Amino acid sequence: MTNIAAAPSSAETAAQLPTKLAKGFVDRLVIIVPYLWLLFFFLVPFIIVFKISLSQTAISMPPYTPVLDFGDGISGFFAGFRELNFDNYTWLTQDALYFNAYVTSLIIAGISTVLTLIVGYPIAYGMARAPATIRPTLLMLVILPFWTSFLIRVYAWIGILKPEGLLNQVLLATGLISQPLVILNTYTAIFIGIVYSYLPFMVLPLYSSLEKMDYSLIEAAQDLGCPPIGAFWKITFPLSLPGVIAGCLLVFIPAVGEFVIPDLLGGSQTLMIGKTLWNEFFANRDWPVSSAVAVILLLVLTVPIMFFQQAQAKAQEQGK
Amino acid sequence: MNGTWSRFNITSIVLGFAFLYLPIVLLIVFSFNESKLVTVWGGFSTKWYVSLFHNQGLMDATWVTARVGVISATVATVLGTLAAITLTRYTRFKGRVLFSGMVFAPLVMPEVITGLSLLLLFVAVGLDRGFFTVTLAHITFTMCFVAVVVQSRLVSFDRSLEEAAMDLGAPPVKTFFQITLPVILPAIISGWMLAFTLSLDDLVVASFTSGPGATTLPMKIYSQVRLGVTPEINAACTILIAVVAIGVIIASIANKRREVQRQRDEQAAQRG
């Protein structure tokens, strides 16, 4: 009741207030400080990555020859354009390793996202239909693992999935299998790791869209003779679509560039781009090539990231 | 309401939570294992905790991580709160689209890209890699999470309270500290905690931006995990989990009390 009364008045003040405030020095400071911080520490670094991806590898510290350096003055800067080399990008297209790593990463992230959705949906649905009194507790139980270290949660699976690990011990003891399963250091282990680590990211947006749903719609459909599964696909799922999209993007985008999971659970046989970039940087010390790998990865992810931002902006609008 | 909670719903919740918690429970259980083999139970023992406290490298790394976490979470909370205010209050200014893009993109940005780009920035401006650079890097990516948490609270904030304060002659800054800040404080606190845990947790960005003498705990754990699973790491992980779990539980209890108090106040105000 209080909500309904408060809604129009807060909408009015929201329109008046910015004009009233906008003149102050403090207000400008509020905008400028985080703005400059993000420009300098988020945007400028990308420009540097792009610049270094066009330079040549050198044995020195830092291990590349600088290009487009303002140290040579403006004319030197423009002269530098002639020296730009796209060798690192040509290199990426010539070596099938990189192409395969990109494609494999996209496929693994895609499959993992679908698996996470399949695992997460029933949990979110069950939570949304739970009695209102226990919902906050259930919500906290989903969030709690997210607070414990990502590295630790991935590490915990090594002990479970090892050939002599707990899963195989249980399966052998119950007689379900006679030979230990090889799961660690395969793509299966990566799927398990991603689904496990990113599950809260899927469940939370799903839950928030399912919780808002009007369940009398389903009762109405069932009264009219629609079977439960039909009602699910015709009503529940379409209404939860914003949550599905948000959850899938929150899982898919970071999963493409994931390093820890493929490195610890996937072993040396599996190929993902985050791991390739890491090895290029730390093992081969080839900064220009790893920069080129990062630039391409960023380009590949531009479209899903823009979708994500639109979804965020839309959610923000609805929140108001 | 109870009638609609079907057996299918309950089963999926129980299985889901078992999946989420079983690995963590097993990890904790095997940190008390007498045997050096992590997967074979050899009796109860706390010897790995004792040896943990004699492991100087691990203790140093813990100290570095704690300092980086506290400093970066605090700065990130200030910057993130400012960013959240900017996003919700100033709907029109030049470069707003770019700004909201820079706030939301780091949430999903693969860590390898963030780490590499920040490292190249530090090299370009000639900063020596170490404690300072890790802290700067952590501030940058955690402030965006703080911004999102605080923003969700600001959106539901009743602006007429601020209006009233300013109509009564309170300057904007005073209004913020006396009216707005107390209301959004729970979100700011959970923002700080989120920033702290993200910093505590981060391996990839820290590996890129850290230098000699500033090895963080995740970097240390990672280098030991690569050599094999040991009960000592289980013990270190258990302590980390315990610290975070206790913090989260205390915070949520405090939050709940404040919420109950607030509701009581509101009811009292309406009656009066």
Side-chain angles (χ1 to χ4, degrees):
Chain A
M1 275 225 262
T2 47
N3 277 339
I4 298 165
S9 74
S10 70
E12 268 170 39
T13 52
Q16 290 164 1
L17 226 57
T19 48
K20 210 184 258 182
L21 287 170
K23 289 172 194 107
F25 167 73
V26 179
D27 301 299
R28 237 169 261 169
L29 211 63
V30 167
I31 300 177
I32 284 172
V33 172
Y35 207 119
L36 285 183
W37 185 284
L38 285 173
L39 270 185
F40 187 71
F41 288 104
F42 187 71
L43 202 65
V44 170
F46 286 138
I47 298 165
I48 297 175
V49 170
F50 185 62
K51 198 184 103 168
I52 287 172
S53 74
L54 297 172
S55 63
Q56 254 155 358
T57 312
I59 302 170
S60 65
M61 186 63 211
Y64 58 88
T65 42
V67 286
L68 299 181
D69 211 338
F70 280 109
D72 311 334
I74 296 294
S75 57
F77 178 78
F78 285 108
F81 274 107
R82 261 172 272 133
E83 289 164 35
L84 287 186
N85 82 86
F86 291 87
D87 290 0
N88 299 313
Y89 291 95
T90 329
W91 168 249
L92 291 191
T93 54
Q94 279 167 353
D95 195 332
L97 173 93
Y98 298 101
F99 182 75
N100 289 341
Y102 282 113
V103 173
T104 317
S105 301
L106 288 172
I107 293 172
I108 288 180
I111 295 174
S112 310
T113 306
V114 174
L115 290 175
T116 315
L117 181 63
I118 294 170
V119 175
Y121 206 102
I123 301 175
Y125 190 69
M127 282 168 63
R129 307 218 68 178
T133 44
I134 65 163
R135 270 186 228 161
T137 315
L138 292 175
L139 201 58
M140 197 180 122
L141 283 172
V142 172
I143 299 170
L144 202 59
F146 172 72
W147 291 90
T148 61
S149 170
F150 186 74
L151 181 62
I152 293 176
R153 281 180 289 147
V154 176
Y155 164 77
W157 278 99
I158 300 178
I160 298 171
L161 298 178
K162 279 198 303 190
E164 70 279 14
L166 296 161
L167 181 68
N168 274 322
Q169 283 181 26
V170 170
L171 291 178
L172 285 170
T174 51
L176 281 171
I177 52 168
S178 53
Q179 286 290 317
L181 298 171
V182 179
I183 302 176
L184 194 66
N185 298 339
T186 65
Y187 285 111
T188 314
I190 299 184
F191 292 140
I192 294 173
I194 295 179
V195 171
Y196 180 71
S197 308
Y198 286 93
L199 194 59
F201 290 104
M202 182 65 88
V203 171
L204 293 176
L206 281 177
Y207 167 76
S208 70
S209 64
L210 282 169
E211 197 207 8
K212 279 183 250 154
M213 213 179 88
D214 182 1
Y215 286 97
S216 57
L217 290 173
I218 295 175
E219 279 162 32
Q222 285 177 349
D223 287 347
L224 294 171
C226 188
I229 292 174
F232 174 80
W233 286 114
K234 283 202 176 107
I235 298 169
T236 314
F237 192 76
L239 281 176
S240 67
L241 214 55
V244 173
I245 292 170
C248 286
L249 289 172
L250 275 173
V251 175
F252 178 78
I253 303 169
V256 173
E258 184 55 51
F259 164 74
V260 176
I261 296 170
D263 188 61
L264 290 182
L265 300 179
S268 54
Q269 297 299 309
T270 55
L271 189 66
M272 274 183 85
I273 198 67
K275 220 173 93 182
T276 312
L277 194 157
W278 178 283
N279 288 337
E280 214 52 78
F281 184 86
F282 285 104
N284 300 348
R285 296 185 57 78
D286 194 335
W287 293 18
V289 166
S290 45
S291 299
V293 171
V295 169
I296 304 269
L297 177 57
L298 202 59
L299 286 178
V300 169
L301 292 179
T302 304
V303 174
I305 287 177
M306 278 164 79
F307 269 121
F308 172 71
Q309 288 185 352
Q310 264 180 347
Q312 283 283 324
K314 213 185 260 178
Q316 198 184 324
E317 285 301 308
Q318 282 170 350
K320 277 176 189 167
Chain B
M1 202 32 120
N2 249 326
T4 60
W5 208 31
S6 68
R7 198 170 291 166
F8 171 75
N9 291 150
I10 297 170
T11 316
S12 51
I13 286 187
V14 170
L15 286 179
F17 284 151
F19 176 62
L20 275 177
Y21 281 94
L22 205 59
I24 300 174
V25 171
L26 289 173
L27 179 96
I28 294 171
V29 168
F30 277 93
S31 75
F32 294 103
N33 191 1
E34 172 76 40
S35 157
K36 201 175 166 59
L37 291 166
V38 185
T39 49
V40 182
W41 186 251
F44 183 84
S45 156
T46 51
K47 68 176 179 187
W48 303 112
Y49 288 87
V50 177
S51 79
L52 192 66
F53 284 101
H54 294 293
N55 185 335
Q56 195 55 44
L58 221 51
M59 296 310 281
D60 289 344
T62 309
W63 179 229
V64 170
T65 310
R67 279 187 302 156
V68 170
V70 170
I71 298 172
S72 66
T74 308
V75 181
T77 303
V78 175
L79 288 171
T81 306
L82 292 180
I85 294 171
T86 305
L87 280 176
T88 37
R89 298 292 163 89
Y90 305 105
T91 42
R92 257 173 246 173
F93 64 89
K94 268 182 203 161
R96 198 192 122 86
V97 177
L98 175 66
F99 184 72
S100 68
M102 288 193 300
V103 173
F104 292 128
L107 302 180
V108 285
M109 190 61 66
E111 291 165 310
V112 282
I113 297 184
T114 313
L116 177 72
S117 64
L118 279 164
L119 165 80
L120 295 179
L121 171 81
F122 295 141
V123 171
V125 298
L127 267 179
D128 277 336
R129 278 187 279 165
F131 181 82
F132 186 54
T133 49
V134 183
T135 312
L136 285 178
H138 281 186
I139 292 168
T140 307
F141 85 89
T142 57
M143 70 173 273
C144 303
F145 287 87
V146 177
V148 171
V149 172
V150 176
Q151 186 212 359
S152 66
R153 182 79 186 191
L154 271 174
V155 165
S156 63
F157 177 71
D158 185 359
R159 297 287 291 269
S160 55
L161 291 172
E162 283 179 346
E163 272 268 280
M166 283 197 278
D167 283 350
L168 293 170
V173 176
K174 197 177 177 190
T175 309
F176 176 79
F177 280 104
Q178 297 209 329
I179 308 288
T180 320
L181 193 64
V183 176
I184 61 171
L185 198 63
I188 292 181
I189 293 171
S190 49
W192 188 91
M193 289 188 53
L194 182 60
F196 181 73
T197 14
L198 286 169
S199 165
L200 207 73
D201 192 15
D202 166 64
L203 165 73
V204 176
V205 175
S207 299
F208 276 100
T209 54
S210 177
T215 307
T216 65
L217 195 56
M219 287 164 70
K220 195 84 196 166
I221 293 177
Y222 174 72
S223 66
Q224 295 203 357
V225 167
R226 300 217 63 176
L227 302 175
V229 180
T230 68
E232 205 175 277
I233 301 175
N234 281 26
C237 295
T238 304
I239 293 175
L240 261 182
I241 292 170
V243 168
V244 171
I246 290 167
V248 171
I249 289 166
I250 289 174
S252 73
I253 290 171
N255 222 343
K256 201 166 192 178
R257 269 202 196 145
R258 215 177 294 122
E259 195 69 17
V260 169
Q261 184 64 40
R262 197 176 62 86
Q263 279 171 357
R264 254 185 230 149
D265 291 351
E266 271 175 15
Q267 280 167 359
Q270 277 172 351
R271 259 185 257 121

